[in-house]
Structures are given as structure tokens and as C-alpha cells.
Amino acid sequence: MSLLTCHHVTKRFGGLVAVNDFSFDVPEHSITSVIGPNGAGKSTLFNCITGFYTPEEGKVIFRGEEIQGLRPDIIANKGISRTYQNIRLFSSLTTLENIMIGMHGRLKTGIISAILRPPRTRKEERWALEESLRILELVGLRGKGDVVATNLSYGDQRRLEVGRALASDPKLLFLDEPTAGMNPRESDNLTNFIRELRDNIGITVVLIEHDMRVVMGISEYITVLDYGAKIAEGTPREIQNNPQVIEAYLGTSGVEGAQAALAGQEA
Ligand code: ADP
Ligand code: MG
């Protein structure tokens, strides 16, 4: 069953069609990668789904409900969470505090209760702390709860981004270039972690990723964007052998280079 469907989504910036009549289905519990050259419209597509942009045309359907045009916080409360291409953490707050901020949509405490702190509020605070520690452990940052975010290694900051996104208890997680800037070991770790998340907590994952080794290793489905339009979709094997995809990745390195790049090998 598909958890999310995009139906003829178009997003324009002035004369530029950043996402062009895009449709796809994301099956529940799957891992799907969105790939394509720089400027292909991948991040814009994520922004249309998560409510940061309203598409001019088309529908985004999540669990049977149209969500295009809804506010990002409302979409987040429905069960869609995301990370950003550029890490967005509260850099002067601790690891644990960053995760607790990600939880706020799940808490009932309003401003009055936060001041009066009745037993119900204190109970919820305890629960939030326990839940945050659980997420910390889940993303492999146990023992680092008191570390100020800016002092974490780059790989750990990426993990914390995922932790913050998981704190809202999403059904569907969008990751925008989660391994960007990582060394091969860090990206292998993160890849395994993403797969475990899906296996262990049943979350559905859509990621934008440039590292073909990661893409081909982790994805069940791949969707290829070029100039805002979907040019191919299929399994990793189908994508590696798709002539249109090879052409989009040709560059200067020729067919063999493109095929090697798509296979995640050095040309
Ligand atoms: P990708 O993530 O695939 O690299 P983007 O979605 O960031 O691509 O960008 C797709 C196209 O839309 C690019 O040509 C980019 O310059 C343009 N674009 C993205 N965001 C904006 C914006 N806020 N205003 C105008 N143009 C934008
Ligand atoms: Mg992008």
C-alpha cells in the first residue's frame, strides 16, 4: 500500500519550472531514493511535500488525505518529518535539548501549565526526558546528551538531525542528502542506521542522495529527476541500466563513466 502519493505536482519559481508534473508513489515501509543532477528539483520536491512550498498544481496525498498547501507544522503533526540539506540544529543547545525541541508537537503542555506546573505537566516532562533519551540511544548518541551540538563531530551532527526528525514520531521520514560531507565509513554507518530504523521501527524513508554507493546499497526504489521532471523510476538494477539515466549522468566521462558512477564505483 502506498503511504504517500504525489499526483502531477508542479512548482514554479517565476519562469523556472523547478518541479514539473511530478508523480510517484511511496510504498509503506519502503526505502526510496530520489536522485538527479544538481538543480534537478529534488529539494524543492521535498519542500512541496513537507509544506515549505505550496505547489501551483497537483496533489500530495498522505494516508489518503490531501496535504498540499498545509502548514509545515500541521504536516509534521500528521506524521511526516524531515532533515535539511544544510544541517539545522540549535548549535548552542545540547544534544538532548535539540531532541526535546523536536518533540514539542507531541506534548500537551500549554503556556499556563508550563508556568503553574501541575502534576500532569511534571509527568509529561519526565516522559519527554525518557523518550528523548530513548531516541538518543536509537541514533547512536548515548552518553552525548549533554554535549553542545556544535561540539559534536560532523557525523554525529547528522545523526542528531535524524534524531530531531524522529522525535516527532513520524511515519514517513525525508532525508535531504544525509551523508553529504561524510567520509565513507561515516556514510556506511549512517546507511546501516537508516536501514535498521526501517527494519526496527517500521518507518518509511525517502532520501535524496548523491553517493551512488549509498543509493544502490540502500534503496528498494529509485526515482530520477532531471530538470524538474521524473525521467525514470525502478529498482537499483533497472536504474543502472536505464539509457535516459545514463545520459543524464554522462557529463564528460562517457557511457562507461556514467555506468560506473551509477554503480557507485570510480570510473
Ligand atoms: P536540487 O535539490 O535537485 O539540487 P533544487 O530543488 O534546490 O534542486 O532546485 C531546483 C531549481 O529551482 C534550481 O534551478 C534552483 O536554482 C531553483 N530554486 C530552488 N529554490 C528556489 C527559490 N526559493 N527561488 C527561486 N529558485 C529556486
Ligand atoms: Mg537539494
Side-chain angles (χ1 to χ4, degrees):
M1 204 193 96
S2 69
L3 184 63
L4 179 95
T5 301
C6 284
H7 194 68
H8 300 293
V9 169
T10 294
K11 174 67 198 164
R12 301 187 185 91
F13 296 112
L16 177 85
V17 190
V19 175
N20 191 356
D21 195 28
F22 178 86
S23 300
F24 82 156
D25 276 310
V26 178
E28 198 158 10
H29 305 308
S30 62
I31 300 179
T32 302
S33 289
V34 177
I35 67 171
N38 268 328
K42 305 179 298 294
S43 293
T44 302
L45 172 66
F46 273 28
N47 285 327
C48 287
I49 296 170
T50 53
F52 291 83
Y53 295 143
T54 300
E56 278 83 27
E57 289 163 40
K59 290 176 182 171
V60 180
I61 299 161
F62 178 61
R63 304 174 94 187
E65 182 191 0
E66 285 186 31
I67 59 163
Q68 75 278 359
L70 296 181
R71 281 202 332 246
D73 57 314
I74 292 176
I75 291 178
N77 284 340
K78 289 183 184 297
I80 299 181
S81 193
R82 68 173 300 179
T83 65
Y84 298 88
Q85 186 167 350
N86 302 306
I87 294 178
R88 288 196 198 177
L89 294 168
F90 294 94
S91 54
S92 61
L93 298 184
T94 67
T95 302
L96 196 63
E97 286 164 343
N98 269 281
I99 290 185
M100 290 181 91
I101 286 172
M103 287 183 69
H104 81 274
R106 293 164 73 188
L107 305 179
K108 294 185 191 71
T109 302
I111 181 88
I112 302 291
S113 309
I115 294 165
L116 297 176
R117 302 188 73 240
R120 176 171 56 80
T121 299
R122 275 176 273 157
K123 197 172 158 205
E124 185 170 64
E125 283 172 359
R126 269 199 306 279
W127 174 81
L129 178 64
E130 280 165 20
E131 180 69 2
S132 301
L133 288 168
R134 193 183 67 80
I135 291 166
L136 212 64
E137 168 127 31
L138 189 68
V139 297
L141 292 175
R142 193 168 74 150
K144 295 183 181 167
D146 293 333
V147 179
V148 174
T150 184
N151 291 335
L152 290 172
S153 72
Y154 183 77
D156 280 353
Q157 289 189 28
R158 282 271 168 205
R159 281 171 177 271
L160 179 54
E161 268 259 304
V162 177
R164 182 192 48 70
L166 288 174
S168 63
D169 194 25
K171 294 272 176 296
L172 176 57
L173 179 62
F174 282 90
L175 304 171
D176 195 343
E177 303 198 19
T179 72
M182 285 189 172
N183 64 41
R185 218 185 102 185
E186 282 175 325
S187 65
D188 282 349
N189 282 340
L190 193 77
T191 309
N192 290 333
F193 164 63
I194 292 167
R195 199 182 293 114
E196 279 168 22
L197 267 187
R198 192 280 302 274
D199 294 346
N200 296 340
I201 65 173
I203 201 166
T204 304
V205 181
V206 181
L207 66 155
I208 295 173
E209 183 54 59
H210 281 295
D211 184 339
M212 286 302 152
R213 213 170 48 91
V214 172
V215 170
M216 296 303 167
I218 199 177
S219 318
E220 278 134 9
Y221 307 101
I222 299 173
T223 292
V224 190
L225 276 183
D226 198 18
Y227 295 106
K230 182 172 77 180
I231 60 166
E233 68 186 344
T235 63
R237 184 170 291 272
E238 286 164 350
I239 293 303
Q240 278 169 3
N241 297 312
N242 181 303
Q244 253 184 305
V245 178
I246 292 170
E247 197 181 317
Y249 277 87
L250 271 182
T252 53
S253 51
V255 173
E256 276 176 25
Q259 275 172 325
L262 286 167
Q265 301 152 359
E266 297 296 324

